[in-house]
Amino acid sequence: MGHFYCNDKATQMLLVLLKENKIKRIVASPGTGNMPFVASVQQDSFFEVYSCVDERSAAYMACGMVWESGEPVVLSCTGATASRNYFSALTEAFYRKLPILVVTASQRSCNEGQLITQYINRTLQPTDTVCLSVQIPAIKDTEDIWDCNVKLNRCVLELFRQRQPVHINMEGRYDLKFDVKTIPATRVIKRFYQGNAFPVLPKSKRIAFVVGAHVPFDKELTEIMDAFCQRYNSVVFCDHTSGYYGQYRVLASIAAAQEYYNSPIFDNIDILIHMGEQLGDLYLFNALKKVKEVWRVHFDGELRDTYRKLKYVFQMNEKEFLLSYCKDDCGQKQKNSYLEWCKSEVKSIIENIPPLPLSNIWVAQKASLRLPQNAVIYFSILNTLRSWNFFELKNHNASFSNVGGFGIDGGISTLLGASQIHKNKLYYCVAGDLQFFYDMNACGNRHVGNNVRILLINNGKGSEFRLYTHGAQQMLQEDADKYIAASGHFGNQSAKLVKNYMEALGFLYLSAHTKEEFKESSTTFFDENIGEQPIIFEVFTNSDLESEALKRMRNIKKDIGNMLKNETKAKVKKVVKAGMENVGVKVSRPLK
């Protein structure tokens, strides 16, 4: 009876990637832990397998092979101290830039510290032996499959980019069979550099960009992006951190957010070109998960599989990438039907926004039309950024948010730092009360200039946790106020606390408890002239109205089929929950 490939999914993935990248030479040392890998490659004629009992000698053999052939070589050993013998040769390879792929095997990490024989910790390697080390656990579900695929692709690509040793530790299985005759296909991610032959980009495909947090596009990059979109009938999906304000910008959050309507503008995107860093618009992020494949363009060349469809990585600046695809006819103009469709879709929803209660969203709706030309605006995360992403800024003001760490801290301080660079320019900040009070000491900094203006939305708590969409509200309702939403702190919406504090620091204080009061104070707050004082404008709202405003925004356009499907699902959940509770099973979180 012949033996074939093992049935371990991680091993199968690794074999496919080795073959796709033409890595064929393997130096194997004997053992049980690495048997799934070794027994699989020894029966595949693509691989050249060499045996060496002494792992130290095996690693030096690999050095010689790489040096003579110029091609990567794989090392494979078992558990216990076997891999420790690789270190001297890997140190040699690290400093000589010899790409060796070290594939070790170990028992599962749950054995750590349990006095299990032949288990050693392989999670840390000497810094000058390998440039990358990853742990591959046994695959149990689809999340593990994705994680494993990204890690293995990254290792193989890093081998070629760094030309240094890379380490993969496979947590072993011993209930294996060697009866798989054909290895299943796995995703292969490729990296390109300037000067490479790039993949073809057919004009017949639907192509879109998504730009996460990004420094403002300069004039040249904007023109090149626009030229690309002209040629390929593309659009650029943005949020208020994207930094692109060209002709093809589409702020589509309001279309992506609809609760009972799936906007077709996000369907059938063949290629999504991913630029920038984190995207602060979670509605847009979720809508774009349906794309067929992703091309990532960034000078760092790292694998950022944000949408789990990554196919190509282009390690270069964005201008080089765009020019390589449109330099031949970038001056030609043609009708962009995709752009017109996207803008028409967004406009049709915007035009049907119902009356909104006083809330962060209502303030965003009104204030987005009032920001002075050339002013810069900073948004705090979550509720504030979400609210403002529904509305385009009339003057395409430069805007940013701390979406890198996506934390509550540092918003006022970030604005303060930015405002020091151009003191003849206005800098606005929109902050919730928790973020404001978290960072209010920055308001007392002696460098605060008269060009600083803070819009404080004070709802007396972390209103995010009381929105109808949030699990805390769904499970706990008012009980979420105690500790989750942190209600009642900082004067419990005191009308004097912020006023007295900020006036003592030299700020002009404005406030509003109603829409009328907001409109009255807006004239001063949005005056395009820099006055004699920095300004803070405190708007008092409440979490119930914040939640109601979001609900209205997300239910502007509805599809009857989606509504019925969701209502049916909700009824089923209710019946299941009731049945479980009737038999004594406590349901502590929403049923999926």
Side-chain angles (χ1 to χ4, degrees):
M1 178 180 175
H3 294 99
F4 303 98
Y5 301 109
C6 75
N7 60 337
D8 178 63
K9 290 183 174 62
T11 301
Q12 292 173 358
M13 279 190 203
L14 178 58
L15 295 179
V16 171
L17 293 176
L18 292 178
K19 298 178 82 167
E20 286 289 330
N21 287 277
K22 298 179 173 56
I23 301 174
K24 62 183 180 180
R25 295 186 181 90
I26 299 168
V27 182
S29 297
T32 302
N34 59 335
M35 185 172 65
F37 177 76
V38 174
S40 295
V41 298
Q42 74 178 23
Q43 55 81 42
D44 188 326
S45 60
F46 170 83
F47 296 103
E48 295 178 14
V49 187
Y50 301 84
S51 179
C52 185
V53 174
D54 186 323
E55 286 84 6
R56 184 176 60 171
S57 179
Y60 276 110
M61 280 180 64
C63 287
M65 288 180 175
V66 174
W67 180 254
E68 188 64 23
S69 69
E71 299 173 355
V73 171
V74 180
L75 280 173
S76 174
C77 72
T78 188
T81 58
S83 64
R84 297 293 195 256
N85 295 302
Y86 284 158
F87 284 155
S88 57
L90 291 181
T91 304
E92 176 75 12
F94 184 90
Y95 287 110
R96 284 177 58 200
K97 297 284 188 180
L98 302 177
I100 296 174
L101 183 61
V102 184
V103 182
T104 62
S106 72
Q107 299 174 45
R108 296 185 181 183
S109 57
C110 59
N111 290 335
E112 171 71 22
Q114 305 307 316
L115 303 180
I116 304 297
T117 59
Q118 293 196 309
Y119 178 84
I120 63 171
N121 189 315
R122 282 185 170 143
T123 57
L124 297 175
Q125 316 302 321
T127 56
D128 58 354
T129 56
V130 297
C131 64
L132 174 65
S133 177
V134 301
Q135 302 292 312
I136 305 295
I139 291 176
K140 302 180 290 298
D141 52 34
T142 55
E143 287 289 301
D144 289 340
I145 291 174
W146 170 75
D147 181 48
C148 177
N149 178 267
V150 173
K151 286 179 177 176
L152 293 178
N153 267 289
R154 184 183 174 207
C155 283
V156 174
L157 288 176
E158 206 67 9
L159 194 68
F160 288 98
R161 180 167 70 165
Q162 300 290 353
R163 303 293 295 181
Q164 287 178 316
V166 170
H167 171 234
I168 299 171
N169 185 61
M170 312 279 283
E171 291 190 6
R173 286 178 49 194
Y174 300 104
D175 56 338
L176 296 172
K177 296 179 181 178
F178 293 89
D179 57 357
V180 178
K181 295 184 179 181
T182 303
I183 312 176
T186 191
R187 178 178 55 157
V188 179
I189 302 172
K190 295 184 178 180
R191 182 185 282 123
F192 295 90
Y193 305 91
Q194 187 64 29
N196 291 160
F198 288 178
V200 175
L201 190 58
K203 292 183 181 179
S204 59
K205 291 183 177 292
R206 178 172 293 173
I207 300 164
F209 289 83
V210 61
V211 183
H214 195 290
V215 295
F217 280 49
D218 60 26
K219 182 179 179 182
E220 182 185 8
L221 181 55
T222 301
E223 290 175 349
I224 297 171
M225 176 73 93
D226 288 351
F228 181 102
C229 291
Q230 285 175 8
R231 179 175 183 179
Y232 292 96
N233 191 27
S234 305
V235 299
V236 185
F237 289 116
C238 298
D239 77 345
H240 282 316
T241 70
S242 300
Y244 168 74
Y245 301 100
Q247 300 174 40
Y248 298 88
R249 171 184 169 97
V250 177
L251 193 74
S253 183
I254 196 167
Q258 296 307 299
E259 198 163 5
Y260 299 111
Y261 171 70
N262 295 322
S263 175
I265 64 174
F266 304 112
D267 293 339
N268 302 315
I269 297 176
D270 296 297
I271 298 172
L272 182 69
I273 302 175
H274 181 199
M275 293 180 174
E277 312 304 334
Q278 289 87 346
L279 182 71
D281 185 348
L282 299 184
Y283 295 134
L284 179 60
F285 168 75
N286 287 320
L288 292 175
K289 287 181 178 179
K290 297 180 288 186
V291 301
K292 296 175 184 177
E293 65 182 62
V294 175
W295 296 13
R296 170 74 174 161
V297 182
H298 200 284
F299 63 84
D300 69 8
E302 296 292 342
L303 271 64
R304 312 292 187 192
D305 196 19
T306 309
Y307 300 92
R308 301 197 175 189
K309 303 287 180 61
L310 186 62
K311 185 174 183 179
Y312 300 134
V313 177
F314 296 83
Q315 184 171 337
M316 61 193 64
N317 68 52
E318 294 145 344
K319 293 177 184 178
E320 292 172 339
F321 170 82
L322 294 169
L323 283 173
S324 68
Y325 280 103
C326 67
K327 58 185 177 183
D328 295 334
D329 59 355
C330 61
Q332 296 182 10
K333 292 189 177 182
Q334 57 185 347
K335 185 177 180 180
N336 190 311
S337 57
Y338 190 20
L339 177 68
E340 291 178 357
W341 183 27
C342 289
K343 289 199 169 185
S344 174
E345 174 79 346
V346 172
K347 183 181 178 183
S348 69
I349 300 174
I350 288 283
E351 289 177 343
N352 288 285
I353 293 176
L356 300 173
L358 181 63
S359 59
N360 208 331
I361 296 177
W362 181 86
V363 169
Q365 181 186 32
K366 302 304 178 183
S368 59
L369 303 174
R370 302 289 303 277
L371 288 171
Q373 188 81 33
N374 298 321
V376 177
I377 185 165
Y378 167 87
F379 303 109
S380 61
I381 59 166
L382 295 176
N383 193 34
T384 295
L385 182 58
R386 177 196 302 115
S387 298
W388 284 72
N389 271 332
F390 289 137
F391 307 100
E392 188 61 270
L393 304 177
K394 180 182 178 181
N395 292 315
H396 284 319
N397 303 81
S399 52
F400 63 103
S401 177
N402 287 353
V403 295
F406 226 88
I408 193 175
D409 47 334
I412 307 298
S413 298
T414 302
L415 176 80
L416 171 61
S419 69
Q420 302 302 308
I421 305 304
H422 301 290
K423 297 189 178 181
N424 61 343
K425 182 184 292 188
L426 286 170
Y427 286 81
Y428 285 84
C429 172
V430 187
D433 52 288
L434 291 194
Q435 186 187 56
F436 172 79
F437 286 113
Y438 206 95
D439 198 25
M440 65 187 291
N441 64 301
C443 298
N445 189 291
R446 63 186 173 88
H447 295 289
V448 173
N450 297 344
N451 60 338
V452 170
R453 296 183 183 178
I454 300 171
L455 180 56
L456 168 58
I457 309 297
N458 189 347
N459 47 59
K461 64 187 71 171
S463 188
E464 177 73 17
F465 307 102
R466 293 300 309 279
L467 298 177
Y468 80 102
T469 53
H470 199 283
Q473 171 64 16
Q474 294 169 357
M475 292 184 284
L476 303 173
Q477 288 83 45
E478 292 80 4
D479 282 347
D481 278 352
K482 294 179 181 178
Y483 302 106
I484 309 301
S487 178
H489 292 302
F490 311 115
N492 197 23
Q493 294 187 291
S494 165
K496 296 181 179 180
L497 177 59
V498 174
K499 179 181 188 319
N500 292 343
Y501 177 73
M502 299 301 282
E503 286 183 341
L505 294 176
F507 278 72
L508 173 64
Y509 177 83
L510 306 171
S511 68
H513 290 81
T514 66
K515 292 180 179 180
E516 290 70 26
E517 289 177 357
F518 179 87
K519 293 173 183 177
E520 290 172 7
S521 296
S522 291
T523 301
T524 301
F525 189 69
F526 294 112
D527 189 331
E528 63 183 9
N529 299 308
I530 297 176
E532 298 180 356
Q533 298 171 271
I535 305 174
I536 183 165
F537 186 4
E538 185 174 19
V539 181
F540 293 90
T541 70
N542 68 67
S543 57
D544 291 338
L545 294 183
E546 292 283 357
S547 184
E548 177 60 27
L550 180 62
K551 192 170 188 177
R552 293 183 190 181
M553 289 295 290
R554 297 195 65 208
N555 286 273
I556 299 170
K557 196 166 186 176
K558 299 179 180 180
D559 178 88
I560 300 300
N562 276 329
M563 288 183 66
L564 293 174
K565 183 170 66 175
N566 279 275
E567 287 174 4
T568 301
K569 188 185 294 184
K571 289 177 181 178
V572 170
K573 287 181 181 179
K574 189 174 181 180
V575 171
V576 172
K577 180 180 178 182
M580 294 173 70
E581 291 178 342
N582 283 339
V583 295
V585 178
K586 184 179 180 181
V587 180
S588 58
R589 60 182 179 180
L591 295 171
K592 295 183 179 180

